[in-house]
Amino acid sequence: MSVRRLAEDSVQPAAFAFNRENTAWAKQTIKKYPKGREQSAVIPLLMRAQEQDGWVTKAAIEHVATMLDMPLIRVLEVATFYTQFQLKPVGTRAHIQVCGTTPCMLRGAEDLKKVCQHRIHHEPFHTNESGTLSWEEVECLGACVNAPMIMVFKDTYEDLTPERLEEIIGAFEAGKGDTITPGPQIDRYFSAPEGGATTLIEGNGAAKPKRAAKAADAAAVPAASAAKLDEAPAKAVSLEDKNRPAAIDKPAVVDDLELISGVGPKIAGILHELGIYTFAQVAGWKKAEREWVDGYLNFKGRIERDDWVKQAKALAKGGEAEYIKVFGKKPR
Protein backbone atom coordinates (compact mmCIF):
# COMPACT_ATOMS: atom_id res chain seq x y z
CA MET A 1 0.00 0.00 0.00
CA SER A 2 1.31 3.45 -0.87
CA VAL A 3 1.75 6.11 1.77
CA ARG A 4 -1.40 8.16 2.23
CA ARG A 5 -1.10 11.68 3.57
CA LEU A 6 -3.54 14.51 4.18
CA ALA A 7 -3.92 17.17 1.55
CA GLU A 8 -1.77 20.29 1.68
CA ASP A 9 -2.76 22.99 4.15
CA SER A 10 -3.47 25.35 1.23
CA VAL A 11 -6.61 23.39 0.31
CA GLN A 12 -7.72 22.46 3.82
CA PRO A 13 -10.78 24.33 5.17
CA ALA A 14 -10.37 26.16 8.45
CA ALA A 15 -13.14 24.25 10.20
CA PHE A 16 -15.65 21.43 9.86
CA ALA A 17 -19.02 20.73 11.40
CA PHE A 18 -21.71 18.24 10.51
CA ASN A 19 -24.87 19.91 9.22
CA ARG A 20 -28.00 19.60 11.32
CA GLU A 21 -29.21 16.38 9.73
CA ASN A 22 -25.82 14.70 9.92
CA THR A 23 -25.30 15.82 13.50
CA ALA A 24 -28.51 14.07 14.51
CA TRP A 25 -27.50 11.02 12.48
CA ALA A 26 -24.05 10.92 14.08
CA LYS A 27 -25.49 11.06 17.60
CA GLN A 28 -27.87 8.19 16.82
CA THR A 29 -25.05 6.19 15.25
CA ILE A 30 -22.85 6.58 18.32
CA LYS A 31 -25.71 5.32 20.50
CA LYS A 32 -25.72 2.02 18.60
CA TYR A 33 -22.50 0.99 20.34
CA PRO A 34 -22.23 -0.22 23.96
CA LYS A 35 -21.17 2.21 26.65
CA GLY A 36 -17.41 2.56 26.52
CA ARG A 37 -17.29 1.37 22.90
CA GLU A 38 -18.60 4.51 21.23
CA GLN A 39 -15.29 4.97 19.41
CA SER A 40 -16.32 2.08 17.17
CA ALA A 41 -18.40 4.67 15.30
CA VAL A 42 -15.25 6.26 13.86
CA ILE A 43 -15.57 4.71 10.37
CA PRO A 44 -19.26 5.55 9.78
CA LEU A 45 -18.70 9.10 11.06
CA LEU A 46 -15.74 9.63 8.76
CA MET A 47 -17.78 8.26 5.84
CA ARG A 48 -20.64 10.64 6.61
CA ALA A 49 -18.15 13.52 6.77
CA GLN A 50 -16.86 12.49 3.34
CA GLU A 51 -20.39 12.29 1.92
CA GLN A 52 -21.10 15.78 3.24
CA ASP A 53 -17.97 17.52 1.93
CA GLY A 54 -16.84 15.14 -0.82
CA TRP A 55 -13.59 14.26 0.93
CA VAL A 56 -12.15 13.83 4.45
CA THR A 57 -10.52 17.04 5.60
CA LYS A 58 -8.10 17.52 8.48
CA ALA A 59 -10.79 19.55 10.23
CA ALA A 60 -13.27 16.69 9.82
CA ILE A 61 -10.81 14.24 11.37
CA GLU A 62 -10.34 16.59 14.31
CA HIS A 63 -14.11 17.04 14.68
CA VAL A 64 -14.74 13.27 14.71
CA ALA A 65 -11.95 12.81 17.26
CA THR A 66 -13.61 15.35 19.52
CA MET A 67 -17.08 13.81 19.12
CA LEU A 68 -15.77 10.35 20.03
CA ASP A 69 -13.29 11.52 22.67
CA MET A 70 -10.50 9.79 20.75
CA PRO A 71 -6.85 10.77 20.44
CA LEU A 72 -6.43 12.60 17.15
CA ILE A 73 -3.69 10.21 16.03
CA ARG A 74 -6.07 7.23 16.25
CA VAL A 75 -8.65 8.84 13.98
CA LEU A 76 -5.85 9.90 11.65
CA GLU A 77 -4.65 6.28 11.54
CA VAL A 78 -8.10 5.10 10.43
CA ALA A 79 -8.53 7.81 7.81
CA THR A 80 -5.11 7.20 6.25
CA PHE A 81 -5.35 3.38 6.35
CA TYR A 82 -8.64 2.80 4.52
CA THR A 83 -8.53 3.76 0.85
CA GLN A 84 -12.29 4.39 0.83
CA PHE A 85 -11.49 7.76 2.43
CA GLN A 86 -10.48 10.50 0.01
CA LEU A 87 -7.84 12.68 1.67
CA LYS A 88 -7.77 15.43 -0.93
CA PRO A 89 -10.43 17.21 -3.00
CA VAL A 90 -12.08 15.10 -5.71
CA GLY A 91 -14.50 15.92 -8.50
CA THR A 92 -17.64 17.66 -7.27
CA ARG A 93 -19.87 15.75 -9.70
CA ALA A 94 -18.06 12.42 -9.92
CA HIS A 95 -14.96 10.66 -8.64
CA ILE A 96 -14.53 7.67 -10.94
CA GLN A 97 -12.91 4.56 -9.49
CA VAL A 98 -11.62 2.20 -12.19
CA CYS A 99 -11.17 -1.41 -11.12
CA GLY A 100 -7.69 -2.60 -12.08
CA THR A 101 -7.72 -6.12 -10.63
CA THR A 102 -6.97 -9.10 -12.88
CA PRO A 103 -10.46 -9.88 -14.36
CA CYS A 104 -11.04 -6.23 -15.24
CA MET A 105 -7.47 -5.84 -16.47
CA LEU A 106 -7.94 -8.80 -18.82
CA ARG A 107 -11.24 -7.37 -20.07
CA GLY A 108 -10.06 -3.86 -20.91
CA ALA A 109 -9.45 -1.83 -17.73
CA GLU A 110 -6.36 -0.25 -19.31
CA ASP A 111 -8.55 1.22 -22.06
CA LEU A 112 -10.92 2.61 -19.42
CA LYS A 113 -7.99 4.25 -17.65
CA LYS A 114 -6.96 5.86 -20.95
CA VAL A 115 -10.45 7.34 -21.28
CA CYS A 116 -10.15 8.84 -17.80
CA GLN A 117 -6.71 10.22 -18.62
CA HIS A 118 -8.04 11.78 -21.80
CA ARG A 119 -11.33 13.13 -20.42
CA ILE A 120 -10.29 14.11 -16.88
CA HIS A 121 -6.55 14.30 -16.15
CA HIS A 122 -3.48 12.29 -17.09
CA GLU A 123 -2.74 11.57 -13.43
CA PRO A 124 -5.16 10.03 -10.89
CA PHE A 125 -6.42 12.11 -7.96
CA HIS A 126 -6.28 15.29 -10.04
CA THR A 127 -9.47 17.07 -11.05
CA ASN A 128 -10.32 18.33 -14.50
CA GLU A 129 -10.07 22.07 -15.15
CA SER A 130 -13.57 22.78 -13.87
CA GLY A 131 -13.08 20.66 -10.75
CA THR A 132 -16.12 18.51 -11.50
CA LEU A 133 -14.39 15.19 -12.25
CA SER A 134 -11.52 13.10 -10.94
CA TRP A 135 -10.47 9.44 -11.11
CA GLU A 136 -8.30 6.73 -9.58
CA GLU A 137 -7.49 3.04 -10.04
CA VAL A 138 -8.77 0.76 -7.26
CA GLU A 139 -8.70 -2.91 -6.35
CA CYS A 140 -11.56 -5.39 -6.90
CA LEU A 141 -15.05 -3.84 -6.96
CA GLY A 142 -16.72 -7.23 -6.61
CA ALA A 143 -18.50 -7.93 -9.90
CA CYS A 144 -15.72 -9.76 -11.73
CA VAL A 145 -18.06 -11.63 -14.09
CA ASN A 146 -19.20 -8.22 -15.39
CA ALA A 147 -15.68 -6.90 -15.97
CA PRO A 148 -14.53 -4.27 -16.72
CA MET A 149 -16.23 -1.88 -14.34
CA ILE A 150 -16.08 1.41 -12.48
CA MET A 151 -17.67 2.83 -9.36
CA VAL A 152 -19.02 6.37 -8.94
CA PHE A 153 -20.11 7.23 -5.41
CA LYS A 154 -21.97 4.07 -4.30
CA ASP A 155 -23.02 2.81 -7.74
CA THR A 156 -21.13 0.48 -10.06
CA TYR A 157 -21.26 0.53 -13.86
CA GLU A 158 -20.27 -2.78 -15.44
CA ASP A 159 -19.61 -4.48 -18.79
CA LEU A 160 -18.04 -1.27 -20.02
CA THR A 161 -16.46 -0.32 -23.31
CA PRO A 162 -14.33 2.81 -23.72
CA GLU A 163 -17.14 4.35 -25.76
CA ARG A 164 -19.74 3.70 -23.07
CA LEU A 165 -17.45 5.12 -20.38
CA GLU A 166 -17.05 8.26 -22.50
CA GLU A 167 -20.84 8.65 -22.48
CA ILE A 168 -21.11 8.02 -18.73
CA ILE A 169 -18.39 10.59 -17.99
CA GLY A 170 -20.16 13.05 -20.28
CA ALA A 171 -23.44 12.56 -18.42
CA PHE A 172 -21.85 13.17 -15.02
CA GLU A 173 -19.94 16.17 -16.33
CA ALA A 174 -23.24 17.63 -17.54
CA GLY A 175 -24.84 17.05 -14.13
CA LYS A 176 -27.02 14.25 -15.53
CA GLY A 177 -25.32 11.27 -13.93
CA ASP A 178 -28.61 10.10 -12.43
CA THR A 179 -29.93 9.41 -15.93
CA ILE A 180 -27.48 6.53 -16.34
CA THR A 181 -28.80 3.24 -14.98
CA PRO A 182 -26.20 1.57 -12.71
CA GLY A 183 -25.20 -2.05 -13.20
CA PRO A 184 -24.47 -3.88 -16.48
CA GLN A 185 -24.30 -1.64 -19.53
CA ILE A 186 -25.20 -4.47 -21.90
CA ASP A 187 -28.25 -6.73 -22.27
CA ARG A 188 -27.55 -8.64 -19.06
CA TYR A 189 -29.68 -9.14 -15.93
CA PHE A 190 -27.33 -8.39 -13.02
CA SER A 191 -24.62 -11.10 -13.30
CA ALA A 192 -26.64 -13.56 -15.37
CA PRO A 193 -25.19 -14.84 -18.68
CA GLU A 194 -25.04 -12.38 -21.55
CA GLY A 195 -28.17 -12.65 -23.68
CA GLY A 196 -30.21 -14.29 -20.92
CA ALA A 197 -30.40 -17.68 -19.26
CA THR A 198 -30.09 -20.86 -21.35
CA THR A 199 -30.97 -23.38 -18.59
CA LEU A 200 -33.64 -23.58 -15.86
CA ILE A 201 -35.93 -21.37 -17.89
CA GLU A 202 -39.22 -23.03 -16.94
CA GLY A 203 -41.16 -23.55 -13.71
CA ASN A 204 -39.64 -22.29 -10.47
CA GLY A 205 -36.32 -21.67 -12.17
CA ALA A 206 -37.79 -19.29 -14.75
CA ALA A 207 -35.37 -16.79 -16.14
CA LYS A 208 -35.53 -13.28 -14.77
CA PRO A 209 -37.00 -10.61 -17.05
CA LYS A 210 -34.63 -8.56 -19.10
CA ARG A 211 -33.72 -5.03 -18.02
CA ALA A 212 -36.37 -2.42 -18.74
CA ALA A 213 -33.97 -0.41 -20.85
CA LYS A 214 -31.28 -2.22 -22.83
CA ALA A 215 -27.93 -0.69 -22.00
CA ALA A 216 -26.60 -2.02 -25.31
CA ASP A 217 -29.08 0.21 -27.09
CA ALA A 218 -28.31 3.09 -24.74
CA ALA A 219 -24.62 2.75 -25.57
CA ALA A 220 -25.38 4.04 -29.04
CA VAL A 221 -26.80 7.27 -27.63
CA PRO A 222 -24.31 10.16 -27.30
CA ALA A 223 -23.73 11.81 -23.92
CA ALA A 224 -25.76 14.84 -25.01
CA SER A 225 -28.80 12.56 -25.11
CA ALA A 226 -28.10 10.92 -21.75
CA ALA A 227 -31.09 12.67 -20.21
CA LYS A 228 -33.34 10.43 -22.32
CA LEU A 229 -32.15 7.25 -20.63
CA ASP A 230 -34.64 7.25 -17.74
CA GLU A 231 -36.42 3.94 -17.43
CA ALA A 232 -39.86 3.72 -18.99
CA PRO A 233 -42.90 3.35 -16.71
CA ALA A 234 -44.29 -0.08 -15.96
CA LYS A 235 -47.69 0.31 -17.54
CA ALA A 236 -49.01 -2.80 -15.76
CA VAL A 237 -49.57 -0.63 -12.68
CA SER A 238 -53.17 0.51 -12.67
CA LEU A 239 -53.84 4.24 -12.95
CA GLU A 240 -57.08 3.64 -11.05
CA ASP A 241 -55.30 2.20 -8.01
CA LYS A 242 -56.43 3.82 -4.76
CA ASN A 243 -52.78 4.33 -3.78
CA ARG A 244 -52.04 6.53 -6.77
CA PRO A 245 -51.04 10.00 -5.43
CA ALA A 246 -53.71 12.66 -5.82
CA ALA A 247 -53.28 14.78 -8.92
CA ILE A 248 -53.78 18.54 -9.21
CA ASP A 249 -54.39 20.87 -12.10
CA LYS A 250 -51.23 22.40 -13.49
CA PRO A 251 -50.50 25.50 -11.38
CA ALA A 252 -49.32 28.82 -12.77
CA VAL A 253 -45.88 28.18 -11.27
CA VAL A 254 -44.55 24.65 -11.58
CA ASP A 255 -41.71 23.52 -9.28
CA ASP A 256 -38.56 22.24 -10.98
CA LEU A 257 -38.88 18.57 -10.02
CA GLU A 258 -35.51 17.88 -11.62
CA LEU A 259 -33.91 19.43 -8.53
CA ILE A 260 -34.81 16.18 -6.77
CA SER A 261 -31.89 13.80 -7.18
CA GLY A 262 -33.17 10.85 -9.20
CA VAL A 263 -35.60 12.87 -11.34
CA GLY A 264 -34.49 13.51 -14.89
CA PRO A 265 -36.34 15.32 -17.68
CA LYS A 266 -38.29 12.25 -18.79
CA ILE A 267 -39.33 11.27 -15.26
CA ALA A 268 -40.37 14.88 -14.56
CA GLY A 269 -42.57 14.72 -17.67
CA ILE A 270 -44.18 11.47 -16.50
CA LEU A 271 -44.86 12.99 -13.07
CA HIS A 272 -46.51 15.95 -14.77
CA GLU A 273 -48.71 13.53 -16.72
CA LEU A 274 -49.76 12.08 -13.36
CA GLY A 275 -50.68 15.55 -12.09
CA ILE A 276 -47.57 15.93 -9.91
CA TYR A 277 -46.20 19.45 -10.28
CA THR A 278 -44.93 20.62 -6.90
CA PHE A 279 -42.40 19.69 -4.23
CA ALA A 280 -45.20 19.80 -1.65
CA GLN A 281 -47.04 16.99 -3.42
CA VAL A 282 -43.98 14.72 -3.39
CA ALA A 283 -43.21 15.69 0.20
CA GLY A 284 -46.66 14.48 1.25
CA TRP A 285 -46.46 11.00 -0.29
CA LYS A 286 -47.21 8.21 2.19
CA LYS A 287 -45.57 4.79 1.93
CA ALA A 288 -48.32 3.29 -0.22
CA GLU A 289 -48.17 6.24 -2.61
CA ARG A 290 -44.39 6.01 -2.85
CA GLU A 291 -44.67 2.30 -3.63
CA TRP A 292 -47.27 2.98 -6.33
CA VAL A 293 -45.08 5.59 -8.04
CA ASP A 294 -42.03 3.35 -7.67
CA GLY A 295 -43.91 0.54 -9.38
CA TYR A 296 -45.28 2.80 -12.11
CA LEU A 297 -41.80 4.10 -12.90
CA ASN A 298 -40.31 0.61 -12.59
CA PHE A 299 -37.70 2.02 -10.21
CA LYS A 300 -37.27 -1.02 -7.94
CA GLY A 301 -36.87 0.96 -4.73
CA ARG A 302 -35.05 3.99 -6.12
CA ILE A 303 -37.52 6.49 -4.63
CA GLU A 304 -36.73 5.23 -1.13
CA ARG A 305 -32.99 4.97 -1.80
CA ASP A 306 -32.79 8.53 -3.10
CA ASP A 307 -35.23 9.72 -0.41
CA TRP A 308 -37.39 11.83 -2.71
CA VAL A 309 -39.75 12.78 0.10
CA LYS A 310 -37.01 14.22 2.31
CA GLN A 311 -35.51 16.10 -0.64
CA ALA A 312 -38.92 17.46 -1.61
CA LYS A 313 -39.67 18.56 1.97
CA ALA A 314 -36.47 20.59 2.07
CA LEU A 315 -37.11 22.16 -1.34
CA ALA A 316 -40.74 22.93 -0.46
CA LYS A 317 -39.72 24.54 2.83
CA GLY A 318 -36.93 26.80 1.62
CA GLY A 319 -35.75 25.95 -1.86
CA GLU A 320 -32.07 25.50 -2.60
CA ALA A 321 -30.95 27.22 0.62
CA GLU A 322 -32.91 24.78 2.79
CA TYR A 323 -31.69 21.83 0.69
CA ILE A 324 -28.09 22.87 1.29
CA LYS A 325 -28.80 23.25 5.01
CA VAL A 326 -30.26 19.74 5.22
CA PHE A 327 -28.00 17.83 2.82
CA GLY A 328 -24.83 19.89 2.90
CA LYS A 329 -24.74 20.29 -0.88
CA LYS A 330 -26.66 21.89 -3.71
CA PRO A 331 -29.56 19.95 -5.23
CA ARG A 332 -28.53 17.81 -8.21
Side-chain angles (χ1 to χ4, degrees):
M1 179 183 293
S2 61
V3 176
R4 285 165 46 82
R5 296 186 173 90
L6 300 185
E8 299 80 7
D9 289 342
S10 59
V11 299
Q12 294 282 358
F16 171 87
F18 283 120
N19 59 33
R20 184 173 58 185
E21 178 198 15
N22 286 339
T23 296
W25 176 90
K27 290 178 179 178
Q28 286 299 118
T29 299
I30 294 171
K31 289 180 180 179
K32 294 179 180 178
Y33 298 92
K35 187 173 179 59
R37 300 290 182 179
E38 294 87 351
Q39 295 178 357
S40 299
V42 61
I43 289 179
L45 262 62
L46 285 173
M47 280 303 298
R48 185 55 67 104
Q50 177 166 290
E51 290 173 3
Q52 178 176 303
D53 283 6
W55 60 293
V56 176
T57 65
K58 180 181 178 182
I61 292 172
E62 293 169 344
H63 184 75
V64 170
T66 300
M67 286 189 72
L68 297 177
D69 193 24
M70 290 178 69
L72 176 60
I73 186 62
R74 290 191 57 200
V75 184
L76 185 62
E77 287 171 346
V78 173
T80 56
F81 179 81
Y82 291 103
T83 56
Q84 69 200 49
F85 298 122
Q86 302 297 333
L87 301 180
K88 62 193 308 183
V90 296
T92 56
R93 291 182 179 170
H95 177 66
I96 297 170
Q97 296 179 306
V98 182
C99 180
T101 308
T102 304
C104 283
M105 187 63 66
L106 292 174
R107 294 272 290 176
E110 284 296 324
D111 291 333
L112 301 187
K113 287 167 58 179
K114 290 177 182 177
V115 171
C116 292
Q117 290 173 324
H118 170 69
R119 289 294 303 268
I120 303 172
H121 195 282
H122 184 73
E123 298 296 332
F125 298 108
H126 288 72
T127 61
N128 59 353
E129 290 185 4
S130 61
T132 56
L133 302 171
S134 57
W135 74 280
E136 66 172 307
E137 180 180 347
V138 297
E139 293 303 312
C140 184
L141 291 175
C144 304
V145 71
N146 294 9
M149 64 185 298
I150 66 168
M151 176 179 283
V152 182
F153 304 121
K154 295 180 179 179
D155 290 322
T156 59
Y157 302 84
E158 306 144 22
D159 292 305
L160 291 171
T161 62
E163 295 75 20
R164 182 58 179 155
L165 179 57
E166 288 264 9
E167 295 166 0
I168 292 173
I169 290 175
F172 275 99
E173 188 172 23
K176 298 292 185 180
D178 60 336
T179 64
I180 305 296
T181 303
Q185 300 299 299
I186 61 172
D187 186 13
R188 182 205 292 273
Y189 183 80
F190 295 139
S191 294
E194 290 186 39
T198 57
T199 60
L200 300 176
I201 57 176
E202 296 181 356
N204 293 333
K208 296 288 185 179
K210 293 185 178 180
R211 296 168 62 84
K214 291 186 178 180
D217 295 336
V221 182
S225 301
K228 299 180 180 180
L229 299 180
D230 296 290
E231 294 186 26
K235 295 300 183 182
V237 176
S238 173
L239 292 172
E240 305 303 321
D241 193 296
K242 65 179 181 180
N243 292 322
R244 173 183 173 178
I248 64 172
D249 293 331
K250 184 176 182 180
V253 178
V254 175
D255 289 336
D256 183 4
L257 298 181
E258 291 182 47
L259 290 178
I260 299 174
S261 178
V263 178
K266 184 172 182 179
I267 296 303
I270 294 173
L271 292 176
H272 290 168
E273 292 173 3
L274 295 173
I276 309 298
Y277 295 99
T278 69
F279 298 133
Q281 287 176 275
V282 179
W285 286 351
K286 303 301 182 185
K287 182 178 180 181
E289 295 171 312
R290 296 195 298 271
E291 290 177 348
W292 184 91
V293 177
D294 193 84
Y296 184 75
L297 297 175
N298 195 21
F299 266 5
K300 302 177 183 177
R302 181 165 146 192
I303 289 176
E304 294 293 340
R305 289 197 303 272
D306 290 347
D307 211 342
W308 284 18
V309 169
K310 188 171 186 178
Q311 291 187 68
K313 284 181 178 178
L315 291 166
K317 181 178 179 181
E320 185 173 308
E322 181 66 19
Y323 191 100
I324 294 172
K325 186 186 298 183
V326 173
F327 294 98
K329 61 181 181 179
K330 291 184 177 181
R332 303 284 297 176

